[in-house]
Amino acid sequence: SQKIEQNSEALNIQEGKTATLTCNYTNYSPAYLQWYRQDPGRGPVFLLLIRENEKEKRKERLKVTFDTTLKQSLFHITASQPADSATYLCALDDGGGADGLTFGKGTHLIIQP
Amino acid sequence: DAGVIQSPRHEVTEMGQEVTLRCKPISGHDYLFWYRQTMMRGLELLIYFNNNVPIDDSGMPEDRFSAKMPNASFSTLKIQPSEPRDSAVYFCASSSGTGGYEKLFFGSGTQLSVL
């Protein structure tokens, strides 16, 4: 069956360190993978998109990698700040070009001062 | 642009009652999505529209759920009759495309509690 897995345990990181979140998937062949941030009581907000033929994408302190062989994406926040504390969701299409995005359940990131 | 607008923000109702959730997408977006979020199941896609036409409703849990998009600026998700297991946060999102290459813009959601 199709599955998207993100760490269900909260991730505690000290301020200033790099936070790394993992998204693994099975039985998908995504052409695109996206990362979103969700704060309590709010809808998810888009952060980054990476294509299957891209190994890495950067935006300011954010970096995403996409390994279609391992079926995994890593999301990095460098020089983390308490304001980065939120739940981070990965989402992917099914490569068919006509479906909506399927989301993982997200990882709750806590940046401790 | 005001973004995707959902109403009501919170809805508390009793089992068996009809519930109607509303969404105004971002102007110019051709795609509208309804998602449901729970702790157990995460964000689940219920249905999505392209140019006001329902494209995929395979995520709609059962016949008690229905969605309409009478025009490009308005969509509703209706639950009739509602049940306690329908309690969740319902999100509406819009985008310029689908297939994963376009980002989704989400509303703030409707927190539904069915007692």
Side-chain angles (χ1 to χ4, degrees), chain A residues 52-69:
Chain A
E52 61 176 337
N53 59 354
E54 295 178 315
K55 297 294 186 189
E56 183 179 297
K57 199 81 169 279
R58 291 175 185 262
K59 179 183 176 183
E60 298 172 351
R61 295 184 296 112
L62 308 180
K63 184 178 84 171
V64 172
T65 62
F66 191 10
D67 189 326
T68 56
T69 301

PDB file of all heavy atoms in Angstrom, chain A residues 52-69:
ATOM      1  N   GLU A  52      11.796  15.660  -9.293  1.00  0.00           N
ATOM      2  CA  GLU A  52      12.457  14.352  -9.202  1.00  0.00           C
ATOM      3  C   GLU A  52      13.850  14.376  -9.797  1.00  0.00           C
ATOM      4  O   GLU A  52      14.704  13.575  -9.408  1.00  0.00           O
ATOM      5  CB  GLU A  52      11.615  13.281  -9.899  1.00  0.00           C
ATOM      6  CG  GLU A  52      11.382  13.512 -11.374  1.00  0.00           C
ATOM      7  CD  GLU A  52      10.612  12.366 -12.020  1.00  0.00           C
ATOM      8  OE1 GLU A  52      10.630  11.246 -11.489  1.00  0.00           O
ATOM      9  OE2 GLU A  52       9.983  12.610 -13.070  1.00  0.00           O
ATOM     10  N   ASN A  53      14.113  15.262 -10.739  1.00  0.00           N
ATOM     11  CA  ASN A  53      15.436  15.312 -11.348  1.00  0.00           C
ATOM     12  C   ASN A  53      16.369  16.319 -10.656  1.00  0.00           C
ATOM     13  O   ASN A  53      17.474  16.573 -11.130  1.00  0.00           O
ATOM     14  CB  ASN A  53      15.334  15.636 -12.840  1.00  0.00           C
ATOM     15  CG  ASN A  53      14.655  16.972 -13.092  1.00  0.00           C
ATOM     16  OD1 ASN A  53      14.164  17.606 -12.165  1.00  0.00           O
ATOM     17  ND2 ASN A  53      14.629  17.396 -14.339  1.00  0.00           N
ATOM     18  N   GLU A  54      15.899  16.877  -9.555  1.00  0.00           N
ATOM     19  CA  GLU A  54      16.729  17.788  -8.754  1.00  0.00           C
ATOM     20  C   GLU A  54      17.194  17.056  -7.504  1.00  0.00           C
ATOM     21  O   GLU A  54      16.397  16.406  -6.826  1.00  0.00           O
ATOM     22  CB  GLU A  54      15.932  19.032  -8.352  1.00  0.00           C
ATOM     23  CG  GLU A  54      15.512  19.901  -9.520  1.00  0.00           C
ATOM     24  CD  GLU A  54      14.688  21.102  -9.065  1.00  0.00           C
ATOM     25  OE1 GLU A  54      13.775  20.909  -8.232  1.00  0.00           O
ATOM     26  OE2 GLU A  54      14.949  22.214  -9.554  1.00  0.00           O
ATOM     27  N   LYS A  55      18.452  17.170  -7.187  1.00  0.00           N
ATOM     28  CA  LYS A  55      18.971  16.513  -5.990  1.00  0.00           C
ATOM     29  C   LYS A  55      18.785  17.381  -4.755  1.00  0.00           C
ATOM     30  O   LYS A  55      18.623  16.869  -3.650  1.00  0.00           O
ATOM     31  CB  LYS A  55      20.474  16.222  -6.170  1.00  0.00           C
ATOM     32  CG  LYS A  55      20.777  15.263  -7.285  1.00  0.00           C
ATOM     33  CD  LYS A  55      20.239  13.875  -6.978  1.00  0.00           C
ATOM     34  CE  LYS A  55      20.676  12.892  -8.049  1.00  0.00           C
ATOM     35  NZ  LYS A  55      19.998  11.600  -7.904  1.00  0.00           N
ATOM     36  N   GLU A  56      18.836  18.692  -4.961  1.00  0.00           N
ATOM     37  CA  GLU A  56      18.852  19.601  -3.823  1.00  0.00           C
ATOM     38  C   GLU A  56      18.227  20.932  -4.220  1.00  0.00           C
ATOM     39  O   GLU A  56      18.337  21.370  -5.365  1.00  0.00           O
ATOM     40  CB  GLU A  56      20.313  19.812  -3.402  1.00  0.00           C
ATOM     41  CG  GLU A  56      20.540  20.670  -2.193  1.00  0.00           C
ATOM     42  CD  GLU A  56      22.023  20.776  -1.882  1.00  0.00           C
ATOM     43  OE1 GLU A  56      22.658  19.754  -1.570  1.00  0.00           O
ATOM     44  OE2 GLU A  56      22.547  21.899  -1.969  1.00  0.00           O
ATOM     45  N   LYS A  57      17.571  21.555  -3.242  1.00  0.00           N
ATOM     46  CA  LYS A  57      16.985  22.875  -3.454  1.00  0.00           C
ATOM     47  C   LYS A  57      17.204  23.679  -2.187  1.00  0.00           C
ATOM     48  O   LYS A  57      17.041  23.150  -1.075  1.00  0.00           O
ATOM     49  CB  LYS A  57      15.482  22.728  -3.710  1.00  0.00           C
ATOM     50  CG  LYS A  57      14.807  23.905  -4.378  1.00  0.00           C
ATOM     51  CD  LYS A  57      15.026  23.886  -5.844  1.00  0.00           C
ATOM     52  CE  LYS A  57      14.155  24.873  -6.584  1.00  0.00           C
ATOM     53  NZ  LYS A  57      12.795  24.359  -6.796  1.00  0.00           N
ATOM     54  N   ARG A  58      17.556  24.959  -2.361  1.00  0.00           N
ATOM     55  CA  ARG A  58      17.811  25.811  -1.185  1.00  0.00           C
ATOM     56  C   ARG A  58      16.970  27.077  -1.252  1.00  0.00           C
ATOM     57  O   ARG A  58      16.674  27.596  -2.318  1.00  0.00           O
ATOM     58  CB  ARG A  58      19.274  26.208  -1.124  1.00  0.00           C
ATOM     59  CG  ARG A  58      20.236  25.091  -0.820  1.00  0.00           C
ATOM     60  CD  ARG A  58      21.678  25.575  -0.899  1.00  0.00           C
ATOM     61  NE  ARG A  58      22.633  24.478  -0.721  1.00  0.00           N
ATOM     62  CZ  ARG A  58      23.242  24.199   0.436  1.00  0.00           C
ATOM     63  NH1 ARG A  58      23.001  24.932   1.500  1.00  0.00           N
ATOM     64  NH2 ARG A  58      24.083  23.187   0.520  1.00  0.00           N
ATOM     65  N   LYS A  59      16.620  27.549  -0.051  1.00  0.00           N
ATOM     66  CA  LYS A  59      15.936  28.833   0.082  1.00  0.00           C
ATOM     67  C   LYS A  59      16.300  29.389   1.439  1.00  0.00           C
ATOM     68  O   LYS A  59      15.855  28.885   2.466  1.00  0.00           O
ATOM     69  CB  LYS A  59      14.425  28.659  -0.044  1.00  0.00           C
ATOM     70  CG  LYS A  59      13.634  29.953   0.107  1.00  0.00           C
ATOM     71  CD  LYS A  59      12.134  29.680   0.040  1.00  0.00           C
ATOM     72  CE  LYS A  59      11.333  30.927   0.289  1.00  0.00           C
ATOM     73  NZ  LYS A  59       9.868  30.649   0.302  1.00  0.00           N
ATOM     74  N   GLU A  60      17.140  30.399   1.425  1.00  0.00           N
ATOM     75  CA  GLU A  60      17.599  31.032   2.661  1.00  0.00           C
ATOM     76  C   GLU A  60      18.183  29.974   3.595  1.00  0.00           C
ATOM     77  O   GLU A  60      19.138  29.291   3.228  1.00  0.00           O
ATOM     78  CB  GLU A  60      16.451  31.823   3.302  1.00  0.00           C
ATOM     79  CG  GLU A  60      15.956  32.944   2.388  1.00  0.00           C
ATOM     80  CD  GLU A  60      14.698  33.631   2.898  1.00  0.00           C
ATOM     81  OE1 GLU A  60      14.090  33.144   3.868  1.00  0.00           O
ATOM     82  OE2 GLU A  60      14.313  34.644   2.304  1.00  0.00           O
ATOM     83  N   ARG A  61      17.635  29.761   4.781  1.00  0.00           N
ATOM     84  CA  ARG A  61      18.192  28.779   5.717  1.00  0.00           C
ATOM     85  C   ARG A  61      17.633  27.373   5.501  1.00  0.00           C
ATOM     86  O   ARG A  61      17.956  26.464   6.257  1.00  0.00           O
ATOM     87  CB  ARG A  61      17.893  29.220   7.158  1.00  0.00           C
ATOM     88  CG  ARG A  61      18.598  30.523   7.558  1.00  0.00           C
ATOM     89  CD  ARG A  61      18.351  30.864   9.037  1.00  0.00           C
ATOM     90  NE  ARG A  61      16.943  31.125   9.308  1.00  0.00           N
ATOM     91  CZ  ARG A  61      16.165  30.346  10.036  1.00  0.00           C
ATOM     92  NH1 ARG A  61      16.630  29.224  10.556  1.00  0.00           N
ATOM     93  NH2 ARG A  61      14.903  30.667  10.236  1.00  0.00           N
ATOM     94  N   LEU A  62      16.812  27.194   4.480  1.00  0.00           N
ATOM     95  CA  LEU A  62      16.186  25.906   4.234  1.00  0.00           C
ATOM     96  C   LEU A  62      16.890  25.173   3.096  1.00  0.00           C
ATOM     97  O   LEU A  62      17.315  25.783   2.122  1.00  0.00           O
ATOM     98  CB  LEU A  62      14.703  26.097   3.866  1.00  0.00           C
ATOM     99  CG  LEU A  62      13.859  26.938   4.803  1.00  0.00           C
ATOM    100  CD1 LEU A  62      12.425  27.009   4.287  1.00  0.00           C
ATOM    101  CD2 LEU A  62      13.905  26.408   6.221  1.00  0.00           C
ATOM    102  N   LYS A  63      16.996  23.852   3.255  1.00  0.00           N
ATOM    103  CA  LYS A  63      17.539  23.021   2.188  1.00  0.00           C
ATOM    104  C   LYS A  63      16.744  21.727   2.136  1.00  0.00           C
ATOM    105  O   LYS A  63      16.430  21.132   3.176  1.00  0.00           O
ATOM    106  CB  LYS A  63      19.011  22.689   2.424  1.00  0.00           C
ATOM    107  CG  LYS A  63      19.642  21.906   1.271  1.00  0.00           C
ATOM    108  CD  LYS A  63      21.117  21.630   1.505  1.00  0.00           C
ATOM    109  CE  LYS A  63      21.335  20.406   2.353  1.00  0.00           C
ATOM    110  NZ  LYS A  63      22.768  19.997   2.402  1.00  0.00           N
ATOM    111  N   VAL A  64      16.384  21.317   0.929  1.00  0.00           N
ATOM    112  CA  VAL A  64      15.659  20.065   0.729  1.00  0.00           C
ATOM    113  C   VAL A  64      16.450  19.194  -0.224  1.00  0.00           C
ATOM    114  O   VAL A  64      16.985  19.679  -1.234  1.00  0.00           O
ATOM    115  CB  VAL A  64      14.250  20.323   0.143  1.00  0.00           C
ATOM    116  CG1 VAL A  64      13.587  19.008  -0.252  1.00  0.00           C
ATOM    117  CG2 VAL A  64      13.383  21.053   1.140  1.00  0.00           C
ATOM    118  N   THR A  65      16.528  17.905   0.091  1.00  0.00           N
ATOM    119  CA  THR A  65      17.105  16.935  -0.838  1.00  0.00           C
ATOM    120  C   THR A  65      16.046  15.913  -1.212  1.00  0.00           C
ATOM    121  O   THR A  65      15.074  15.702  -0.465  1.00  0.00           O
ATOM    122  CB  THR A  65      18.322  16.220  -0.218  1.00  0.00           C
ATOM    123  OG1 THR A  65      17.897  15.486   0.938  1.00  0.00           O
ATOM    124  CG2 THR A  65      19.396  17.206   0.164  1.00  0.00           C
ATOM    125  N   PHE A  66      16.242  15.289  -2.355  1.00  0.00           N
ATOM    126  CA  PHE A  66      15.247  14.354  -2.876  1.00  0.00           C
ATOM    127  C   PHE A  66      16.009  13.203  -3.514  1.00  0.00           C
ATOM    128  O   PHE A  66      16.690  13.391  -4.519  1.00  0.00           O
ATOM    129  CB  PHE A  66      14.379  15.076  -3.903  1.00  0.00           C
ATOM    130  CG  PHE A  66      13.139  14.348  -4.352  1.00  0.00           C
ATOM    131  CD1 PHE A  66      12.680  13.205  -3.728  1.00  0.00           C
ATOM    132  CD2 PHE A  66      12.396  14.840  -5.424  1.00  0.00           C
ATOM    133  CE1 PHE A  66      11.525  12.561  -4.143  1.00  0.00           C
ATOM    134  CE2 PHE A  66      11.229  14.204  -5.850  1.00  0.00           C
ATOM    135  CZ  PHE A  66      10.801  13.076  -5.213  1.00  0.00           C
ATOM    136  N   ASP A  67      15.898  12.024  -2.923  1.00  0.00           N
ATOM    137  CA  ASP A  67      16.585  10.845  -3.432  1.00  0.00           C
ATOM    138  C   ASP A  67      15.530   9.833  -3.869  1.00  0.00           C
ATOM    139  O   ASP A  67      14.924   9.171  -3.031  1.00  0.00           O
ATOM    140  CB  ASP A  67      17.496  10.256  -2.343  1.00  0.00           C
ATOM    141  CG  ASP A  67      18.400   9.161  -2.865  1.00  0.00           C
ATOM    142  OD1 ASP A  67      17.981   8.399  -3.773  1.00  0.00           O
ATOM    143  OD2 ASP A  67      19.536   9.030  -2.372  1.00  0.00           O
ATOM    144  N   THR A  68      15.312   9.730  -5.172  1.00  0.00           N
ATOM    145  CA  THR A  68      14.259   8.852  -5.680  1.00  0.00           C
ATOM    146  C   THR A  68      14.653   7.381  -5.595  1.00  0.00           C
ATOM    147  O   THR A  68      13.782   6.518  -5.661  1.00  0.00           O
ATOM    148  CB  THR A  68      13.897   9.213  -7.126  1.00  0.00           C
ATOM    149  OG1 THR A  68      15.084   9.169  -7.926  1.00  0.00           O
ATOM    150  CG2 THR A  68      13.277  10.590  -7.210  1.00  0.00           C
ATOM    151  N   THR A  69      15.941   7.111  -5.429  1.00  0.00           N
ATOM    152  CA  THR A  69      16.370   5.719  -5.262  1.00  0.00           C
ATOM    153  C   THR A  69      16.066   5.244  -3.848  1.00  0.00           C
ATOM    154  O   THR A  69      15.517   4.151  -3.659  1.00  0.00           O
ATOM    155  CB  THR A  69      17.878   5.583  -5.536  1.00  0.00           C
ATOM    156  OG1 THR A  69      18.142   6.015  -6.866  1.00  0.00           O
ATOM    157  CG2 THR A  69      18.329   4.144  -5.352  1.00  0.00           C
TER     158      THR A  69
END
